[in-house]
């Protein structure tokens, strides 16, 4: 179709990148944020507003959202598969869709209460797991996420194609222990295919699944230098852009040439 935009990336971008950070870790506030700021990049931080002091836990993230980053929902209590545990308490195989409805709805409500200025934000699957129950009773909770959020981030082996990706179960690359060059490789492969690479970080030179500060700095410098070709933006911004582009395509299809 003449004039049809083949992908949703505007301003001459070849592809998109989202840097996502899970679990609300201290090194993200103290290590990642200054490096992002130096390079003029915005990212997504998925937090768990858990326990009696959930308001206090969310407090430092208010300023993060004010600086243009996304503060997203990682559930209240971070439930993962029982396979990670030695008991069957408080884990996904013994939970129901109603339990996840509460985890997701309440996580969203708490973040919205503390950061009301943030009108829209996305979800991230704890431990990348997207099911409840087991065997014949195993169910996906992706539909619960779809009721509450514009997008959800999981894990996968590919960068997301703007036309075919399930926005409520986006693929992301876990990049713990990766070198700068490997992360740039993932970004460039996605850009070459006009796709959207989502990278998942935990600690920055700290704690579990960490990437070194120097490797993270190398990646951010690269994304800053290539900002005219590669659109680095929070998950919610890229998801909204894809959603609008898909809606426009559908409208054109329905009304003919
Ligand atoms: Zn997590």
């Amino acid at each position: 179709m003449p004039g049809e935009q083949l992908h949703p990336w505007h301003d001459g971008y070849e592809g998109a990148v989202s840097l996502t950070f899970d679990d609300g870790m201290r090194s993200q506030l103290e290590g990642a944020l200054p490096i992002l700021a130096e390079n003029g990049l915005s990212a997504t931080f998925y937090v768990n507003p858990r326990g009696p002091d959930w308001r206090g836990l969310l407090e430092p993230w208010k300023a993060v959202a004010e600086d243009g980053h996304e503060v997203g929902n990682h559930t209240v209590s971070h439930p993962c598969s029982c396979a990670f545990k030695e008991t069957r308490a408080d884990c996904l195989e013994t939970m129901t869709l109603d339990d996840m409805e509460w985890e997701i709805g309440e996580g969203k409500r708490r973040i919205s209460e503390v950061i009301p200025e943030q009108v829209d934000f996305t979800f991230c699957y704890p431990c990348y797991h997207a099911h409840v129950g087991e065997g014949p009773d195993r169910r996906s909770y992706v539909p619960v996420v779809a009721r509450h959020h514009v997008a959800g981030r999981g894990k996968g082996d590919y960068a997301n194609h703007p036309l075919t990706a399930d926005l409520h179960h986006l693929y992301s690359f876990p990049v713990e222990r990766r070198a700068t060059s490997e992360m740039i490789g993932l970004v460039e492969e996605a850009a070459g295919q006009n796709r959207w690479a989502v990278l998942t970080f935990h600690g920055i030179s700290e704690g579990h699944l960490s990437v070194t500060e120097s490797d993270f700095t190398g990646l951010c410098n690269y994304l800053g230098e290539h900002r005219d070709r590669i659109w680095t933006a929070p998950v919610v911004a890229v998801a909204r852009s894809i959603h609008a582009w898909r809606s426009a395509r559908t409208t054109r299809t329905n009304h003919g040439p």
Side-chain angles (χ1 to χ4, degrees):
M1 188 185 293
E4 183 177 20
Q5 209 187 325
L6 294 174
H7 55 72
W9 321 130
H10 48 82
D11 299 336
Y13 292 127
E14 294 167 24
V17 173
S18 291
L19 307 178
T20 67
F21 299 82
D22 294 12
D23 304 343
M25 298 170 71
R26 177 179 295 274
S27 65
Q28 297 167 2
L29 289 166
E30 294 174 0
L33 281 170
I35 298 165
L36 290 166
E38 277 164 27
N39 291 281
L41 301 171
S42 300
T44 299
F45 297 87
Y46 291 111
V47 299
N48 305 96
R50 71 208 308 172
D53 186 33
W54 59 268
R55 285 186 184 81
L57 280 177
L58 285 176
E59 202 51 42
W61 298 98
K62 241 175 116 74
V64 175
E66 281 164 14
D67 282 344
H69 301 286
E70 175 186 11
V71 178
N73 183 6
H74 200 28
T75 73
V76 171
S77 64
H78 204 285
C80 296
S81 171
C82 302
F84 285 9
K85 309 179 79 169
E86 290 173 7
T87 73
R88 292 172 60 81
D90 303 320
C91 50
L92 291 172
E93 281 74 9
T94 57
M95 291 175 71
T96 65
L97 290 174
D98 283 345
D99 293 332
M100 290 316 297
E101 179 71 37
W102 184 85
E103 284 285 344
I104 295 164
E106 183 63 13
K108 181 184 178 189
R109 191 195 69 73
R110 291 179 182 186
I111 293 169
S112 300
E113 184 185 310
V114 174
I115 315 174
E117 301 81 6
Q118 183 176 253
V119 290
D120 204 3
F121 49 94
T122 63
F123 177 80
C124 166
Y125 295 86
C127 301
Y128 311 110
H129 300 155
H131 67 279
V132 294
E134 63 186 335
D137 298 318
R138 185 170 168 126
R139 298 284 180 275
S140 166
Y141 76 76
V142 174
V144 181
V145 173
R147 274 202 298 282
H148 287 280
H149 289 284
V150 63
R153 197 220 69 204
K155 177 172 84 166
D157 298 328
Y158 299 96
N160 300 287
H161 188 288
L163 188 61
T164 57
D166 181 349
L167 291 178
H168 294 102
H169 194 272
L170 292 163
Y171 279 7
S172 79
F173 299 106
V175 291
E176 58 268 17
R177 295 181 289 277
R178 298 275 195 133
T180 298
S181 58
E182 294 175 283
M183 294 189 279
I184 290 173
L186 294 171
V187 164
E188 284 297 348
E189 187 178 10
Q193 300 170 335
N194 302 134
R195 288 182 181 236
W196 173 21
V198 181
L199 273 50
T200 295
F201 297 88
H202 288 79
I204 300 298
S205 288
E206 175 229 0
H208 61 291
L209 305 173
S210 84
V211 163
T212 69
E213 192 169 307
S214 112
D215 282 321
F216 183 67
T217 302
L219 173 68
C220 290
N221 290 345
Y222 187 87
L223 292 173
E225 285 161 17
H226 292 265
R227 62 174 58 258
D228 294 341
R229 299 174 41 233
I230 297 167
W231 183 34
T232 302
V235 173
V236 68
V238 181
R240 273 201 213 110
S241 172
I242 290 176
H243 197 269
W245 172 72
R246 286 185 184 176
S247 300
R249 281 174 60 95
T250 307
T251 307
R252 264 198 305 276
T253 307
N254 289 347
H255 296 293

